[in-house]
């Protein structure tokens, strides 16, 4: 499998720039950035030290006059190396590969020690005399590193809530303003991509952060907001379930009814009839 895996570590300062590049590799990189800018997709940021970054295949990466106190490590795993292994599909479920560069994982000293130890074990296994067990062990260590990263991200979501002024609260405010300013009537239900752009975060980071903060994803928050709006509309004289569904941007009233019953416990018609009798 030569050429499908690349592992590198160094403890020397470095400075450099690059043109925009894309690869077919999953890249995990621990960087200690003193100054300069890095870009991932269309987002760039001035970095602080001790940042763990994750890049998915075919994402655009670029850095400009970046000074590294030292390079922690870089893991490059080609998609083809994963083929035939369960991790080939599972790795796609790790949302942080879709985060933008300003959403990097900032490690505590203890977390950094865990991640670095995993890298060292992975590198030792890959660079040793390989046998029929080597690839399985390498991928098991890689998956362990990803699981730790997922745990550490949840810690970061919670730890940064005050700094972010509660992403969930900002999400609700943005959603309320969208409805209050009449955008809903003109544009329909807001997309996760639109809300994420308004909040200056990536869509996946938004959903994962909300999940950590409230137990509900971004789309679930939107659905709950729509259900609250539906409750008000259903009690207006002369409305039908279908008209409310279309008014809220649902293409099919049946889907609206199923969603309403799932969230409220009764159908829209039952909800309306019950409250009309009171």
């Amino acid at each position: 499998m030569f050429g499908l895996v690349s592992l590198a570590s160094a403890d020397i300062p470095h400075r450099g720039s690059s043109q925009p590049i894309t690869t077919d590799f999953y890249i995990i990189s621990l960087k200690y950035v003193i100054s300069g800018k890095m870009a991932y997709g269309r987002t760039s940021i001035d970095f602080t030290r001790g940042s763990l970054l994750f890049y998915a295949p075919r994402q655009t990466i670029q850095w400009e006059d970046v000074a590294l106190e030292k390079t922690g490590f870089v893991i490059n795993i080609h998609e083809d190396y994963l083929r035939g292994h369960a991790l080939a599909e599972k790795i796609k479920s790790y949302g942080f590969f879709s985060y933008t560069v300003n959403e990097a994982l900032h490690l505590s000293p203890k977390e950094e020690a865990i991640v670095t130890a995993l890298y060292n074990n992975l590198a030792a296994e890959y660079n040793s005399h390989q046998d029929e067990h080597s690839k399985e062990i390498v991928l098991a260590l890689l998956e362990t590193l990803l699981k730790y990263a997922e745990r550490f991200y949840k810690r970061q979501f919670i730890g940064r809530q005050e700094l972010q002024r509660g992403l969930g609260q900002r999400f609700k405010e943005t959603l309320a303003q969208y409805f209050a300013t009449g955008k809903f009537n003109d544009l329909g239900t807001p997309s996760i991509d639109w809300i994420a752009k308004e909040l200056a975060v990536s869509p996946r980071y938004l959903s994962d952060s909300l999940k950590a903060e409230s137990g509900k994803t971004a789309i679930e928050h939107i659905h709950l907001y729509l259900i609250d709006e539906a409750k008000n509309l259903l009690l207006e004289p002369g409305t039908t379930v279908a008209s409310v569904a279309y008014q809220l941007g649902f293409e099919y009233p049946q889907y609206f009814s199923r969603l309403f019953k799932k969230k409220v416990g009764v159908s829209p018609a039952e909800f309306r009839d019950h409250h009309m009798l009171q």
Side-chain angles (χ1 to χ4, degrees):
M1 304 300 291
F2 179 78
L4 297 183
V5 177
S6 172
L7 306 169
S9 62
D11 292 315
I12 57 175
H14 174 75
R15 179 181 290 272
S17 302
S18 82
Q19 296 296 318
I21 59 174
T22 59
T23 75
D24 294 325
F25 288 80
Y26 287 96
I27 303 173
I28 304 170
S29 178
L30 177 62
K31 299 290 188 184
Y32 299 82
V33 180
I34 303 172
S35 63
K37 291 185 177 181
M38 295 185 70
Y40 182 32
R42 289 182 252 174
T43 305
S44 65
I45 191 171
D46 294 320
F47 263 61
T48 55
R49 64 185 304 279
S51 300
L52 194 62
L53 299 97
F54 299 85
Y55 304 98
R58 288 167 293 284
Q59 290 283 4
T60 301
I61 309 168
Q62 183 179 12
W63 55 93
E64 179 182 340
D65 196 29
V66 167
L68 301 176
E69 179 184 8
K70 58 181 178 177
T71 301
F73 61 75
V74 179
I75 302 172
N76 299 295
I77 304 285
H78 196 282
E79 293 173 302
D80 289 347
Y81 189 77
L82 302 176
R83 297 194 192 283
H85 191 278
L87 190 56
E89 287 302 315
K90 190 169 185 179
I91 198 171
K92 299 174 184 177
S93 70
Y94 289 102
F96 40 77
F97 280 104
S98 299
Y99 294 172
T100 51
V101 71
N102 61 316
E103 298 154 355
L105 177 59
H106 303 289
L107 300 171
S108 69
K110 182 178 179 180
E111 292 168 350
E112 183 180 327
I114 292 172
V115 168
T116 300
L118 281 168
Y119 167 80
N120 290 336
N121 289 339
L122 192 157
E125 179 62 37
Y126 184 76
N127 292 323
S128 66
H129 178 70
Q130 301 212 1
D131 56 29
E132 68 272 19
H133 302 292
S134 297
K135 182 176 179 180
E136 187 69 31
I137 294 172
V138 166
L139 292 180
L141 288 167
L142 176 64
E143 185 170 5
T144 300
L145 192 156
L146 295 176
K147 287 179 178 178
Y148 269 109
E150 190 171 45
R151 170 189 282 179
F152 298 157
Y153 256 117
K154 289 182 179 179
R155 180 273 306 161
Q156 181 165 296
F157 288 143
I158 296 171
R160 290 189 160 195
Q161 281 184 16
E162 184 175 347
L163 179 63
Q164 296 181 129
R165 195 171 59 86
L167 194 59
Q169 182 60 34
R170 292 166 56 206
F171 178 91
K172 293 176 183 177
E173 290 171 358
T174 301
L175 200 57
Q177 186 177 29
Y178 184 91
F179 278 84
T181 56
K183 290 182 179 179
F184 177 80
N185 296 327
D186 298 328
L187 304 175
T189 305
S191 67
I192 303 300
D193 287 352
W194 181 87
I195 297 176
K197 186 177 180 180
E198 290 292 302
L199 297 175
V201 296
S202 66
R204 190 59 185 265
Y205 185 89
L206 172 62
S207 194
D208 289 350
S209 182
L210 289 174
K211 184 74 172 179
E213 184 178 327
S214 66
K216 297 180 176 61
T217 64
I219 192 63
E220 287 176 313
H221 277 281
I222 290 177
H223 284 163
L224 288 174
Y225 195 95
L226 290 175
I227 293 300
D228 282 341
E229 290 293 312
K231 289 178 179 179
N232 294 327
L233 293 173
L234 285 166
L235 300 182
E236 292 182 0
T239 59
T240 65
V241 172
S243 68
V244 170
Y246 292 132
Q247 191 172 341
L248 290 175
F250 290 91
E251 187 174 357
Y252 302 105
Q254 298 91 332
Y255 175 71
F256 164 70
S257 294
R258 286 198 300 271
L259 178 65
F260 190 97
K261 186 169 185 177
K262 179 180 178 182
K263 299 296 183 183
V264 181
V266 296
S267 70
E270 290 170 332
F271 173 86
R272 181 191 57 198
D273 293 344
H274 173 76
H275 283 79
M276 288 295 187
L277 292 175
Q278 292 182 341

